[in-house]
Amino acid sequence: MMGDDTWIQLYPEHFNKSFPYPSFNVKDLDTVDNGVIDHLLPSLHENDWDVLIAHFLGVDHAGHIFGVDSTPMIQKLEQYNQILEDVIDTLKSLSTPGGPHENTLLLVMGDHGQTLNGDHGGGTAEEVETSLFAWSPKTPPDAVLSVLGENSCNFDLHGKEVCVSTMQQLDFAVTVSALLGIPFPFGSIGRVNPELYALSAGTWDNQRTGINACTPQDDLVAWKMRYAEVLCVNSWQVKRYIDQYSGSSIIGFSAEYLHHVEELYSKAQANWSEVLKPTCPSETAKGEEFKESASSALQLQIDAYSSFLESFAKLARSAWTEFDLWLMGTGLLLMILSVITQAYILVRLNAVCQPSDQECPSSRIIPKLSFAFTLVTIRAASLLSNSYILAEGRVTNFLLATSCIAGVWSSATNGNFTIEEFIFLLLNIFARFGIELGMSKQIAGPTATKDHPVSIICDIFGSSFCNVSMDIFPIISLAMVTCIVLKLIAYAVHQRFLKYFIICGTILSYAFIANYWASESTLLSHTKAVQEIGRSLAPRFVYAIGGLSLVISVLWRLFAPVDSLKFNKRITSLSAAMLCSWSPTILMLLGRQGAFVALICITGAWCIIMLQQKYQKDSKLDITGSCVANPVSVTQWSLLAVCLFYLTGHWCTFDGLRYGAAFIGFDNFHIIRQGFLLSIDTFGVSHILPVLSLPFVAIHCYNTASKKSKVKDVTINILIQVHLMYGLITAITTTVTIVCVTIQRRHLMVWGLFAPKYVFDAIGLLLTDLLICLASFYYS
């Protein structure tokens, strides 16, 4: 074995020789491939192996980092073409009679397919289908090839007929076992593939004794005989597995279908006994007629065994997706109880904060609550459709825009339209285009397909303008984000030491981010040392400064005098410190798109907060009314977070994970470190930053507080309500996702879409609840 070290992790004691290379650094296109090349051709001249595995990884990594339509991908494919030519030339030269590779079979395959973005893990045909090229030094006779009729033949661009066959993955193990002459795997239910089996010369060559030793046997009859024999053993092994599985499994198979499959096997075995009876042709029968009769009998036998194996494979596919409905029901019940509990606590909080001599203005709150609940319900119900799961980013953006339009309509009716509403509506338009780019998953890569918007812009203005813009625009956006963040710190952080420390850390972090982007720029000339320092040390400094800021803010929370600041100012200081600790790391992991996404995030948050204050002012609520947080604002906050998730190129599928982000600043793989960075990149803008920003939605109550009530009590109440509302929205969505997965558990896309969506939502809910619990302790 040579190449991907996953083979050694799976089979540590199975190889006589192994040359493993680390496989998890997706930015490394050449280390594994060069190691394989160094050992592959020399090993072909040796005769000390039965199976040689050469696992290349360059194409896989090039797809993840650069996409399919990229120069590195083309270079890797050209390299593989040359390697394949060299391997076949070597095998040909050593395949002469008596040579070491006289009976060697070459298989070249992919372990999965790729999307246009180079990713995989979903259920689309381009991801689950891959190529399999087989070559043998001996070509089967035309008579044998004529019966292998499972080809789909078409004409290529040059008018040449090209025939392509298909093979199920479950057939691969038994086919290779048959060619190697080793026992079939007990748990395999596949069928020996006839085309691959025909590439072995032993299946048709040197078979000159007939079935009954009465007449010479031609190549076709010899091959059919050998293939029927191997299918006999294949079927016996599958039947043995069926019997043991049916006897030990609690659920097992349907009695009706199982009886049908057993009948097929019994019929095939009975026919096989007839085929093996030693009979000779009569004196009147000609030899050719006897051979044709024998060939027909063998073909019927092959069809009988094939029918048995295919029928059981179909039965297994339909029955082996088992679900424990009791456990699923228990989990769903717990989620429903959790939602009811959160809703009840929200109602009680609203009732507790009301003075006994005043009546809550519910007439103003109920319409807002109904509208927010409608938005959440529509989004949650859309998850029942796999098409809407794929388009979740667009659906969420549509609902967020709907809430904006409803606010604009209400303001226009009352004659108090504000600039924030216009900006928020305009922001949704930008977000929609950004989501289209993000969901195309091309924004993170340096290359783009011809129909990509970036490519169209480059065609209009020229590639040089495009390259300059893609290098300069992120820096400009980062500078704008830096100015906004510094103003936020100056306004929100009131403790002098904490303010200056966060300001210095923010400036340094953003400077290192700019340095990292500059080191990757093609416009500037760098020495190799400067480039390496910028790419490896700059991200690590950002991570270190963020971690240090996080520790300082926690220590200040624990040891600073409680009464040194008013409660409201203390909340804003802690919130700003926490946001500034996390945001540079998230910005670094998001790449050059991060600054633009941060601008959208900040602008959207500012609009929501200002519209929340406008709602308070227009309602003319005193402190009593202020006890009820605006549910529409919290819902918009949640919808904006989902939009940001898709805006940054993420998907709720496992191939939507941006693996390259886990290696920013690091070349070596460490599962905890890379897993932590990947988690921050995945959930940073959709869960971490939105939850940590929630206090700014609640803090508006300070400005509308009455002198009759304590500001601290009101602020805590509003803060708890906002956190509970946000958690309730996330819990409702996750609960409905569980319902949808339960209903669609037999759906074709259950593992490709519904199950990953459930995993992402469940992890997001867990992370949200954890952050809310920590925030409650942090701010209390």
Side-chain angles (χ1 to χ4, degrees):
M1 193 289 303
M2 53 199 70
D4 189 343
D5 60 356
T6 306
W7 287 94
I8 301 300
Q9 298 172 22
L10 292 174
Y11 310 108
E13 307 294 336
H14 286 67
F15 298 107
N16 293 332
K17 289 184 180 180
S18 60
F19 305 97
Y21 297 91
S23 59
F24 279 99
N25 186 1
V26 292
K27 296 192 294 184
D28 187 351
L29 307 186
D30 300 313
T31 299
V32 178
D33 291 355
N34 292 339
V36 174
I37 295 171
D38 291 341
H39 296 97
L40 178 56
L41 293 179
S43 298
L44 294 179
H45 290 84
E46 300 175 1
N47 197 24
D48 59 348
W49 52 267
D50 297 307
V51 177
L52 187 151
I53 299 170
H55 192 149
F56 293 85
L57 274 178
V59 162
D60 181 86
H61 289 181
H64 281 302
I65 299 299
F66 300 102
V68 171
D69 188 12
S70 63
T71 300
M73 176 64 78
I74 295 173
Q75 293 172 347
K76 295 307 297 184
L77 292 176
E78 290 176 346
Q79 181 187 31
Y80 288 1
N81 283 340
Q82 184 60 50
I83 294 170
L84 185 55
E85 289 179 5
D86 295 342
V87 169
I88 292 180
D89 290 341
T90 302
L91 292 178
K92 282 182 178 179
S93 65
L94 299 175
S95 62
T96 55
H101 295 303
E102 180 183 9
N103 295 313
T104 297
L105 175 66
L106 170 66
L107 298 175
V108 183
M109 73 193 80
D111 55 343
H112 51 73
Q114 285 184 332
T115 64
L116 290 177
N117 309 291
D119 296 321
H120 54 85
T124 62
E126 59 186 355
E127 294 170 274
V128 300
E129 294 180 1
T130 186
S131 58
L132 171 60
F133 168 77
W135 178 87
S136 173
K138 294 184 178 180
T139 304
D142 292 337
V144 175
L145 294 176
S146 65
V147 300
L148 304 177
E150 298 182 2
N151 293 326
S152 175
C153 298
N154 295 291
F155 292 95
D156 62 11
L157 296 177
H158 304 287
K160 182 180 178 181
E161 188 179 37
V162 178
C163 299
V164 180
S165 331
T166 59
M167 175 182 175
Q168 296 294 327
Q169 183 177 345
L170 60 86
D171 296 341
F172 185 78
V174 291
T175 302
V176 174
S177 298
L179 291 170
L180 289 173
I182 61 176
F184 297 142
F186 173 70
S188 175
I189 59 171
R191 181 189 66 147
V192 176
N193 183 268
E195 291 173 272
L196 284 185
Y197 191 69
L199 290 179
S200 174
T203 62
W204 40 264
D205 198 14
N206 299 322
Q207 302 288 328
R208 297 306 173 193
T209 302
I211 298 177
N212 42 40
C214 296
T215 181
Q217 191 177 33
D218 62 13
D219 292 330
L220 179 58
V221 175
W223 180 82
K224 285 187 175 182
M225 183 63 190
R226 292 296 300 274
Y227 187 54
E229 288 175 350
V230 77
L231 285 183
C232 174
V233 181
N234 190 180
S235 300
W236 171 82
Q237 171 262 325
V238 172
K239 180 62 170 61
R240 188 166 65 102
Y241 178 79
I242 294 173
D243 294 339
Q244 184 161 337
Y245 178 82
S246 301
S248 60
S249 175
I250 298 176
I251 300 177
F253 299 108
S254 168
E256 180 182 355
Y257 284 105
L258 195 61
H259 179 69
H260 173 67
V261 170
E262 290 179 348
E263 279 188 347
L264 291 175
Y265 181 74
S266 300
K267 182 179 178 181
Q269 285 298 92
N271 292 339
W272 184 235
S273 300
E274 294 295 327
V275 172
L276 292 178
K277 286 183 179 178
T279 58
C280 292
S282 62
E283 296 179 358
T284 57
K286 297 181 180 179
E288 291 298 327
E289 293 177 356
F290 181 78
K291 291 178 182 179
E292 184 176 347
S293 176
S295 178
S296 299
L298 287 169
Q299 186 61 50
L300 290 174
Q301 187 59 40
I302 291 172
D303 293 340
Y305 281 133
S306 298
S307 177
F308 161 73
L309 293 169
E310 291 171 0
S311 296
F312 180 69
K314 182 179 180 181
L315 170 64
R317 285 192 181 96
S318 64
W320 274 351
T321 308
E322 299 178 2
F323 300 95
D324 193 324
L325 296 180
W326 284 104
L327 284 179
M328 293 171 68
T330 302
L332 181 58
L333 180 61
L334 290 175
M335 287 298 301
I336 294 174
L337 290 176
S338 171
V339 170
I340 294 174
T341 302
Q342 292 184 66
Y344 175 76
I345 294 174
L346 271 172
V347 173
R348 292 299 301 166
L349 277 174
N350 182 29
V352 167
C353 77
Q354 305 298 332
S356 59
D357 57 340
Q358 295 187 21
E359 182 180 356
C360 178
S362 59
S363 59
R364 297 182 179 273
I365 298 300
I366 290 179
K368 296 282 184 180
L369 185 62
S370 301
F371 182 65
F373 181 76
T374 301
L375 292 177
V376 175
T377 303
I378 292 174
R379 176 177 172 248
S382 69
L383 302 177
L384 188 61
S385 166
N386 65 320
S387 299
Y388 277 103
I389 290 178
L390 285 172
E392 184 183 11
R394 302 184 185 98
V395 172
T396 306
N397 177 259
F398 176 82
L399 295 175
L400 182 60
T402 300
S403 69
C404 295
I405 294 172
V408 170
W409 178 265
S410 176
S411 298
T413 303
N414 297 328
N416 58 351
F417 182 79
T418 60
I419 188 64
E420 289 86 2
E421 290 171 322
F422 174 75
I423 294 175
F424 200 18
L425 193 58
L426 187 65
L427 184 72
N428 276 272
I429 299 175
F430 281 109
R432 177 55 185 263
F433 286 106
I435 288 171
E436 294 295 333
L437 291 177
M439 294 185 70
S440 70
K441 302 186 72 178
Q442 297 286 349
I443 193 170
T447 59
T449 55
K450 293 181 180 179
D451 58 346
H452 192 270
V454 175
S455 180
I456 296 174
I457 294 173
C458 292
D459 292 338
I460 295 175
F461 295 99
S463 59
S464 59
F465 172 81
C466 187
N467 292 334
V468 172
S469 299
M470 293 185 70
D471 281 334
I472 294 179
F473 181 71
I475 301 296
I476 297 175
S477 301
L478 183 65
M480 296 174 64
V481 171
T482 305
C483 293
I484 294 173
V485 171
L486 291 178
K487 287 186 177 181
L488 171 66
I489 296 172
Y491 169 78
V493 182
H494 302 278
Q495 209 279 341
R496 182 173 299 178
F497 166 76
L498 189 63
K499 176 187 290 188
Y500 292 147
F501 177 82
I502 294 175
I503 289 176
C504 293
T506 300
I507 294 174
L508 281 176
S509 296
Y510 287 172
F512 282 124
I513 293 174
N515 180 33
Y516 174 75
W517 291 348
S519 68
E520 292 187 326
S521 173
T522 57
L523 299 179
L524 304 175
S525 57
H526 310 281
T527 63
K528 187 174 182 181
V530 172
Q531 198 170 27
E532 289 298 323
I533 291 174
R535 289 185 177 181
S536 60
L537 293 183
R540 298 183 189 183
F541 282 129
V542 173
Y543 305 152
I545 293 172
L548 182 60
S549 298
L550 188 63
V551 172
I552 293 295
S553 61
V554 172
L555 291 176
W556 185 82
R557 154 65 182 84
L558 294 175
F559 299 108
V562 176
D563 297 328
S564 61
L565 291 175
K566 292 182 179 180
F567 187 77
N568 238 64
K569 293 183 177 180
R570 188 163 173 265
I571 291 280
T572 57
S573 297
L574 291 171
S575 301
M578 191 61 67
L579 284 172
C580 293
S581 300
W582 282 97
S583 56
T585 297
I586 296 173
L587 208 62
M588 171 65 75
L589 296 177
L590 289 177
R592 298 192 178 194
Q593 61 175 344
F596 178 70
V597 173
L599 284 177
I600 292 180
C601 179
I602 294 172
T603 307
W606 175 77
C607 290
I608 292 174
I609 293 171
M610 296 304 295
L611 292 175
Q612 167 78 329
Q613 291 186 359
K614 175 178 176 289
Y615 163 72
Q616 290 292 128
K617 187 181 296 184
D618 292 344
S619 300
K620 298 180 180 180
L621 299 176
D622 61 2
I623 189 59
T624 301
S626 298
C627 284
V628 182
N630 185 6
V632 175
S633 298
V634 182
T635 303
Q636 288 177 329
W637 200 276
S638 173
L639 294 175
L640 179 62
V642 178
C643 289
L644 292 174
F645 177 80
Y646 289 94
L647 185 66
T648 50
H650 293 95
W651 294 70
C652 281
T653 54
F654 299 124
D655 63 326
L657 296 172
R658 292 164 19 97
Y659 297 101
F663 291 91
I664 293 179
F666 301 95
D667 292 326
N668 300 321
F669 176 78
H670 186 278
I671 188 169
I672 297 178
R673 180 182 62 205
Q674 265 57 57
F676 184 66
L677 292 178
L678 185 61
S679 300
I680 294 176
D681 173 72
T682 304
F683 299 104
V685 293
S686 60
H687 292 82
I688 297 176
L689 292 184
V691 174
L692 296 179
S693 304
L694 284 174
F696 290 101
V697 179
I699 213 66
H700 71 88
C701 69
Y702 174 74
N703 298 323
T704 57
S706 163
K707 297 180 180 179
K708 298 178 181 179
S709 300
K710 295 181 179 179
V711 173
K712 179 177 180 180
D713 295 338
V714 175
T715 304
I716 290 178
N717 190 281
I718 289 286
L719 189 61
I720 294 175
Q721 284 190 42
V722 168
H723 278 111
L724 280 175
M725 282 184 186
Y726 194 89
L728 180 61
I729 292 171
T730 308
I732 290 175
T733 305
T734 306
T735 302
V736 177
T737 301
I738 295 174
V739 174
C740 296
V741 173
T742 304
I743 295 173
Q744 303 283 20
R745 64 186 183 276
R746 299 288 181 182
H747 193 279
L748 177 66
M749 298 303 296
V750 64
W751 305 119
L753 284 177
F754 290 100
K757 173 61 179 170
Y758 162 69
V759 171
F760 274 78
D761 280 1
I763 295 175
L765 176 62
L766 181 64
L767 181 60
T768 300
D769 290 343
L770 179 62
L771 288 172
I772 288 175
C773 291
L774 292 176
S776 299
F777 168 76
Y778 186 69
Y779 298 128
S780 61

